[in-house]
Amino acid sequence: MSLGSSLRAWYEQGESLSLTTNGLKDTKSKIDVEYARRPVPAEELQVVDAEPDASSGSPSDRQKDIIHNLIVSVKAFNTVDALRRVAHRLTAQSSILFIQNGMGIIEEVNEAVFPDPANRPQYMLGVTSHGVYETRRFHLVHGGDGTTALAILPRNIDDVKPDFEPSALYLLRTMTRSPVLAAVGFAPTDFLQLQIEKLAVNAIINPLTALMGCLNGDLLHRPSISRIVRLLLAEISLVIRSLPELQGVPNVKVRFDIKRLEAQVIGVAQKTAANKSSTLQDISRGKLTEVEYITGYLVRRGEEVGIHCVVNYMLQHMIKAKERLEGERQGNLLPLVSRDERP
């Protein structure tokens, strides 16, 4: 659905959003929305001065448009396009919180949207285990309680005591004070391990449920599936334990051992047994998936450290093939040959 049609649907819906939790429906109306009509090309971006105009003694119109805190929760592959639409309203004093599936998004944003470190906003990352699904447009169900982990990323990884922007500290305090989120702030290294742990679990549950067209719990207690899981985890575990950013971190070898990762996968599959993975939902709707940022990220990192993840690479392209076939069948994608599929 395009942004224009989404906006029309929003007004037709009465500018309201409903969330059902434990059978109780809560509807909020007259929520302000803004429609960014087109991405701003990187060469057209202008730096916004966050300080008031000294000559006039009052903030300029552009300063009034500054976004101090932005939460990004779009699909990973839409992140760059979404940020380009508002990048001209973000300053080095702004903060962006990314709560998304997958990894490798920050690197894309730095390259395509904020190439100049001096004008780059403060980044924050989040992972959540809350389960939410959409029954129809703007009608959501909170299907499973979970927790949320947050971290503010230092601008320089070598800083022992980094200075964080006040906007980031404000957003972190606000998120952790919301009881329903059950949010906790972590140091960057601790958060990285949580993020990679979730990535490993998603790299098993998401593609397998999408290929087999099953619920998360259907992966359990099936010997053939268990064998596939162990083959995938053998590569994933080796890649994670070889990542340079985790070298020297205590207990990494134990934390990302194959057996422990398998226990994590089983635990999540049991807890979310009745849920459909996001990859399965995307493919069922003929939409693009985030496999490039989940399995694809692990494959790319493996190549960087000299590990060829052939089983995960095959799984990645099986998902891409199914996403393309289903998208063409439903008329959402044109039957084109991508660059990496050409002979």
Side-chain angles (χ1 to χ4, degrees):
M1 182 177 285
S2 67
L3 284 173
S5 58
S6 294
L7 193 63
R8 285 194 298 272
W10 172 255
Y11 288 124
E12 291 170 359
Q13 193 67 31
E15 303 172 66
S16 64
L17 185 69
S18 72
L19 176 66
T20 301
T21 305
N22 297 326
L24 300 176
K25 185 176 181 180
D26 182 24
T27 301
K28 303 295 183 183
S29 301
K30 302 301 178 182
I31 301 172
D32 290 335
V33 299
E34 294 183 38
Y35 178 38
R37 294 187 178 276
R38 70 176 183 92
V40 179
E43 60 272 14
E44 293 183 18
L45 290 177
Q46 299 180 12
V47 178
V48 181
D49 187 359
E51 298 299 324
D53 186 347
S55 61
S56 65
S58 61
S60 67
D61 289 339
R62 290 195 66 190
Q63 289 161 352
K64 292 177 183 178
D65 288 337
I66 289 174
I67 298 173
H68 298 286
N69 293 106
L70 180 67
I71 299 176
V72 178
S73 59
V74 298
K75 291 288 186 180
F77 51 79
N78 286 328
T79 303
V80 167
D81 179 81
L83 281 176
R84 277 178 172 162
R85 296 172 182 269
V86 295
H88 60 290
R89 298 176 56 189
L90 294 163
T91 73
Q93 289 73 48
S94 300
S95 295
I96 305 176
L97 170 58
F98 298 88
I99 301 186
Q100 300 167 290
N101 284 331
M103 295 180 67
I105 302 163
I106 294 294
E107 292 80 0
E108 287 190 0
V109 169
N110 284 343
E111 180 179 351
V113 187
F114 301 112
D116 184 0
N119 298 321
R120 192 174 290 162
Q122 180 91 64
Y123 294 153
M124 300 175 63
L125 291 175
V127 296
T128 185
S129 58
H130 288 278
V132 178
Y133 60 90
E134 188 179 57
T135 55
R136 54 192 176 96
R137 294 294 292 174
F138 312 118
H139 289 261
L140 307 171
V141 175
H142 187 191
D145 291 327
T147 58
T148 303
L150 303 168
I152 305 175
L153 299 187
R155 295 183 185 276
N156 188 338
I157 59 174
D158 296 324
D159 287 346
V160 178
K161 292 184 178 180
D163 291 326
F164 297 130
E165 293 296 334
S167 59
L169 296 172
Y170 168 80
L171 184 55
L172 181 63
R173 285 195 302 268
T174 302
M175 299 282 285
T176 54
R177 289 175 180 174
S178 176
V180 69
L181 293 178
V184 178
F186 288 87
T189 301
D190 295 332
F191 177 86
L192 176 62
Q193 295 177 78
L194 290 171
Q195 188 181 28
I196 292 176
E197 204 167 60
K198 182 181 180 183
L199 182 76
V201 172
N202 284 349
I204 301 297
I205 293 178
N206 283 38
L208 289 184
T209 54
L211 282 177
M212 299 176 190
C214 66
L215 301 177
N216 294 355
D218 293 331
L219 299 179
L220 299 168
H221 314 302
R222 287 175 167 77
S224 294
I225 294 179
S226 297
R227 292 187 179 95
I228 297 171
V229 168
R230 290 175 190 134
L231 284 171
L232 293 167
L233 286 177
E235 294 179 348
I236 292 171
S237 173
L238 183 58
V239 169
I240 294 173
R241 289 184 286 119
S242 302
L243 292 176
E245 58 265 40
L246 291 180
Q247 300 310 302
V249 176
N251 300 318
V252 164
K253 304 295 184 185
V254 175
R255 181 167 186 167
F256 296 103
D257 177 75
I258 296 175
K259 290 184 178 179
R260 189 178 184 279
L261 288 177
E262 185 179 10
Q264 291 280 325
V265 171
I266 292 171
V268 171
Q270 289 174 335
K271 186 177 180 181
T272 62
N275 292 2
K276 288 184 178 180
S277 72
S278 60
T279 305
L280 174 59
Q281 293 181 55
D282 290 336
I283 284 183
S284 299
R285 297 169 181 165
K287 304 293 186 182
L288 296 176
T289 71
E290 295 174 297
V291 68
E292 288 293 328
Y293 298 87
I294 301 174
T295 304
Y297 177 82
L298 290 166
V299 170
R300 290 192 298 275
R301 295 307 306 271
E303 293 291 333
E304 291 174 10
V305 296
I307 300 169
H308 301 297
C309 301
V310 293
V311 183
N312 280 273
Y313 182 78
M314 180 183 70
L315 185 63
Q316 172 191 354
H317 284 275
M318 289 176 74
I319 290 294
K320 290 177 69 175
K322 185 162 186 176
E323 123 189 334
R324 171 62 61 178
L325 289 169
E326 190 62 28
E328 291 173 7
R329 189 183 70 81
Q330 297 192 28
N332 294 328
L333 297 174
L334 293 175
L336 301 176
V337 178
S338 65
R339 185 172 300 172
D340 58 352
E341 292 174 332
R342 293 173 185 170

